[in-house]
Amino acid sequence: MAGFDGTELHEVSAAVLAVASRVSVREVLGTILVSARRLLDARYAALGVPDDNGSFAEFLADGITDEQWRAIGPVPRQHGLLGVLLRDPNPVRLRDIRADPRFGWWPAAHPVLTDFIGMPIVDGDEILGELFLANKRSPGGFTAQDQELLRLLAAHAAIALVNARLYERSRELSIMEERNRIARELHDAVTQKLFSLRLTADAAATLLDRDPARAAAELANVRQLAAEATGELRAVLVGLRPVDLAGDGLDVALRKQADLLDRVHGASVRFAGEPVPGLSAARQEAAYRIAQEALHNALRHANPTTVRISLAGREATALLEITDDGDGFDADAATTTSRRLGLLSMRERALAVGGRLSVDSRPGGGATVRLVVPTDG
């Protein structure tokens, strides 16, 4: 950092912090762009992320109006100096971009650029994107010190961009896992009940003329199966409802879940607990999803009269328990595919956030699912 004065160091630090605080790829790109233009006092800035088809998956500009952007036309392809920077990890600094033999052309509505600096955003051997800045406001064009400032920002931007991509991919995986869970639930419960409902309705139709009394009994079964299917759908939809763990906190989210399930099931579902300080967002979400799965298993398979959820903080850990007074089961030899999948899913979620999951149950003796996860203090 030799050669940088206190003001420049402060500006670089502010720019790095701004970039690092973003979690979505689009937010990271936008913050990099604005920070770079401000840091180097440039009139124009652009940032491109390449695709595999000779163009750009993302191309952002700063310093031009929306009307100018529309007049310029389509996103540029990887030609001229744009293409050079996507193949060469070294920066390019020019007094006049138009005089460089690698310069191609720009659309008629494009601003006239003179002094120019281009900096690849690199992660290892991969060029993630490229920064372009043009027309420095102060006389003399871009300096070697400007180039070092931009290199420093690009290095931190690469880290933030990789982290943002990983975050978005993890969110996509979570969504896929949730879709798979819902698909299993629909297949296990609702689909089977609807199939039974159709068969019973067919039986009632054949009996209507020759045995009205039996037909009436079958129609009563149809009504019962329809009611059960409706209840199963409600339970699945409860699992789909978004929960604002960041705003509510885990204890409030679990209380809401208990209240909803209490309304749509015959069993009494109750929550008792308190906020647990220092529980990270990832651990809160894992605990919430484990609670959902445990509640689902108890209410579907165990025929309980009461299900209790408890949450407490103890010695730098959070303790979550879901207890039911239902039929119980052999935890080492779960009897249904859906229950085995549910137990596996809960254990994987607990392990992923550094927690421990135990299941205590025996036939006829109810069940307790217990999760212990560490807190930050």
Side-chain angles (χ1 to χ4, degrees):
M1 302 294 285
F4 295 164
D5 61 30
T7 301
E8 288 169 330
L9 287 174
H10 176 76
E11 290 176 353
V12 171
S13 177
V16 168
L17 288 173
V19 171
S21 68
R22 303 297 186 264
V23 292
S24 79
V25 170
R26 187 77 180 183
E27 284 181 327
V28 167
L29 295 176
T31 307
I32 294 168
L33 182 62
V34 172
S35 298
R37 187 166 82 94
R38 183 182 299 120
L39 192 64
L40 269 64
D41 194 27
R43 182 167 183 182
Y44 302 113
L47 191 157
V49 175
D51 63 14
D52 297 325
N53 303 311
S55 187
F56 288 89
E58 297 272 4
F59 196 91
L60 287 68
D62 190 37
I64 62 174
T65 65
D66 291 342
E67 290 76 15
Q68 286 177 299
W69 183 249
R70 285 192 291 268
I72 289 171
V75 169
R77 296 187 63 77
Q78 298 169 18
H79 66 278
L81 277 171
L82 303 189
V84 169
L85 286 165
L86 288 174
R87 296 187 296 272
D88 187 345
N90 297 304
V92 172
R93 181 163 52 94
L94 303 168
R95 298 288 291 182
D96 190 334
I97 187 175
R98 299 168 296 180
D100 190 278
R102 297 166 295 182
F103 171 70
W105 56 277
W106 52 51
H110 197 286
V112 175
L113 308 183
T114 53
D115 46 313
F116 172 89
I117 188 168
M119 180 69 66
I121 301 172
V122 180
D123 176 43
D125 295 330
E126 181 185 3
I127 297 178
L128 305 177
E130 49 185 315
L131 274 165
F132 318 104
L133 291 97
N135 298 23
K136 190 173 176 70
R137 294 181 185 278
S138 54
F142 296 106
T143 66
Q145 190 153 306
D146 287 332
Q147 183 172 312
E148 286 306 306
L149 285 170
L150 192 59
R151 189 195 300 274
L152 180 60
L153 177 63
H156 286 277
I159 296 170
L161 190 54
V162 169
N163 287 341
R165 284 180 172 178
L166 290 172
Y167 175 81
E168 290 191 352
R169 286 170 188 164
S170 71
R171 296 291 295 173
E172 289 171 9
L173 287 173
S174 296
I175 291 168
M176 290 174 62
E177 289 172 0
E178 190 66 7
R179 286 176 176 167
N180 290 337
R181 181 185 71 81
I182 292 163
R184 289 197 305 268
E185 291 185 9
L186 287 170
H187 179 269
D188 290 345
V190 181
T191 303
Q192 293 175 17
K193 281 194 170 60
L194 291 176
F195 180 70
S196 298
L197 191 153
R198 191 182 72 181
L199 291 179
T200 307
D202 288 344
T206 60
L207 291 169
L208 198 57
D209 290 332
R210 55 191 175 85
D211 195 341
R214 283 188 60 195
E218 293 296 338
L219 287 173
N221 288 333
V222 167
R223 284 194 296 272
Q224 177 63 29
L225 286 168
E228 291 176 5
T230 301
E232 293 286 356
L233 277 172
R234 283 201 193 106
V236 172
L237 290 173
V238 166
L240 276 172
R241 295 189 182 201
V243 56
D244 184 8
L245 288 171
D248 290 341
L250 180 59
D251 58 314
V252 174
L254 289 172
R255 190 181 302 279
K256 289 180 178 179
Q257 183 77 59
D259 291 344
L260 283 168
L261 293 174
D262 187 61
R263 289 198 295 270
V264 299
H265 286 278
S268 170
V269 183
R270 296 288 182 264
F271 171 81
E274 58 193 25
V276 180
L279 197 57
S280 69
R283 285 169 176 158
Q284 286 192 57
E285 182 172 353
Y288 182 78
R289 295 304 183 190
I290 287 170
Q292 276 191 314
E293 187 67 46
L295 289 164
H296 163 81
N297 285 342
L299 292 167
R300 172 173 295 174
H301 301 295
N303 302 309
T305 58
T306 302
V307 181
R308 299 190 183 280
I309 313 163
S310 67
L311 176 69
R314 294 181 183 174
E315 298 177 353
T317 64
L319 173 63
L320 171 69
E321 289 187 341
I322 298 91
T323 302
D324 71 79
D325 61 358
D327 298 339
F329 63 100
D330 184 344
D332 295 324
T335 54
T336 67
T337 300
S338 60
R339 177 169 280 168
R340 284 197 300 271
L341 289 170
L343 292 174
L344 177 61
S345 171
M346 287 190 287
R347 289 192 170 109
E348 288 176 346
R349 285 188 187 276
L351 185 62
V353 295
R356 301 191 311 275
L357 185 92
S358 61
V359 180
D360 181 17
S361 182
R362 64 180 187 279
T368 297
V369 175
R370 182 177 295 104
L371 171 69
V372 179
V373 291
T375 61
D376 295 335

